[in-house]
Amino acid sequence: MKLLICLILLFQLIVLIKSEREYFTFRQDVRRCAAPRCGGYFLKKLNSQTDDEIYVSSYIMVNANLNPMKIQDDQNIIISGYIMPSDDDGYNTFFLKGIHERMLIPDVAINNNNNNNNNNNNNNNNNNNNNNNNDNDKKLISNEKIKDSDSFYFLSKSQIECIQANNGCPVYKSIKINSNESKNFESYTEPYTSSVPLLDLKWYNSRLIKKVIDSPYIGSIVSGTIKDNHQLSITEIFINTEDPVFPCKRNSFTCSTLHVPTFSRSVDRCPIFEKCVLRTVCHLGIPTCPKGYKSYSYHSLPKGCLKYYCDPETLPNPYKVSGP
């Protein structure tokens, strides 16, 4: 009998791991009464048309790559997984499969609507950001939208081929989370490329727009609105904390005493060896990354000087991820 129960539980776990997931904001239950009635979490589905919340008394991680400490930050993360009733106490249990964390906009109030940053097909050079509020970069989103008109999406290429590019061509596709609704659009605006210095645009763009539709990697969640069915106005982005999926390979290249190894960077933030170059005089200034970001640097071409990047702090060290 015990063996049968174990097999049933194992089958249920396998189904959970392989099935489609749902996405939620959440808040911790601070009521003072005995568990499991209190002390759990209140969950609300992304893009829900109501304010209804679902109480879960506990959660179980079915993904060993997640950081359990992040679940304490109910102000800045979106969780994904499944809700199932518990056989023990009759309360719901949440099976946690994924965590997306807010990518902060430095020195910007995220609920400010006066954002004039333009991104036409990923070429953003507009610096007209006039926000100066430093105290609201972590505005609570739990169980409320940033703007009433905002929705949450995954983005990808639409796979539509146009005769004339950048001329009314819906090259992007939005997939509304927790629904089957999708819509093609022509362009988008976003606030990060003009606000975050030294942002790795190769990594950023690859996570924002999913190019390989069948890829198992789950990209960034964006919050925003589609205007006139052709332009998406992005308010903010939540990045997958399982990034990259596979760890970087260790570089074992050595150069002579008078030379230094130089590197480029892959879309997974991994250094790629280029060649050895003669040591030269470089600028000794070290740039500072804004709040919510950490600095990485590599010797780069053409002179072997350090090239700096500002990566979101929520991202793990690309050498230390454990893989799927």
Side-chain angles (χ1 to χ4, degrees), residues 117-124 155 157 171-172 185-191 193 204-206 208-209 222 225 230-234 237:
N117 304 292
N118 295 318
N119 185 327
N120 293 320
N121 300 333
N122 301 335
N123 293 317
N124 238 351
L155 306 181
K157 289 288 189 178
V171 294
Y172 303 111
F185 60 97
E186 299 171 12
S187 61
Y188 61 88
T189 63
E190 50 80 34
T193 51
Y204 174 75
N205 291 327
S206 70
L208 181 62
I209 306 292
V222 305
T225 57
H230 68 86
Q231 185 179 75
L232 171 63
S233 176
I234 297 175
I237 295 172

Side-chain angles (χ1 to χ4, degrees), residues 4 25 29 33 35 51 69 101 136 147 211 228-229 245 260 294 321:
L4 178 60
T25 55
D29 179 16
C33 61
D51 293 327
M69 296 302 296
E101 186 166 353
N136 205 20
K147 293 190 299 183
K211 295 182 179 179
D228 301 326
N229 294 329
V245 176
V260 293
K294 54 189 174 184
V321 296

Side-chain angles (χ1 to χ4, degrees), residues 212-309:
V212 182
I213 303 300
D214 296 329
S215 170
Y217 176 77
I218 298 176
S220 299
I221 294 173
V222 305
S223 170
T225 57
I226 297 178
K227 302 177 180 179
D228 301 326
N229 294 329
H230 68 86
Q231 185 179 75
L232 171 63
S233 176
I234 297 175
T235 305
E236 62 178 341
I237 295 172
F238 297 81
I239 53 178
N240 192 342
T241 58
E242 295 178 82
D243 187 341
V245 176
F246 299 99
C248 300
K249 295 180 180 180
R250 294 286 178 178
N251 289 290
S252 57
F253 302 98
T254 58
C255 300
S256 64
T257 304
L258 298 178
H259 293 75
V260 293
T262 59
F263 302 88
S264 58
R265 211 184 197 207
S266 73
V267 293
D268 292 326
R269 300 180 292 122
C270 296
I272 302 172
F273 176 74
E274 295 293 339
K275 64 179 182 179
C276 297
V277 300
L278 187 66
R279 290 181 182 272
T280 185
V281 177
C282 298
H283 189 275
L284 297 180
I286 300 176
T288 301
C289 293
K291 179 182 178 182
Y293 294 81
K294 54 189 174 184
S295 176
Y296 285 91
S297 61
Y298 304 101
H299 292 282
S300 63
L301 293 173
K303 298 181 179 180
C305 298
L306 288 175
K307 182 174 182 178
Y308 291 88
Y309 300 90

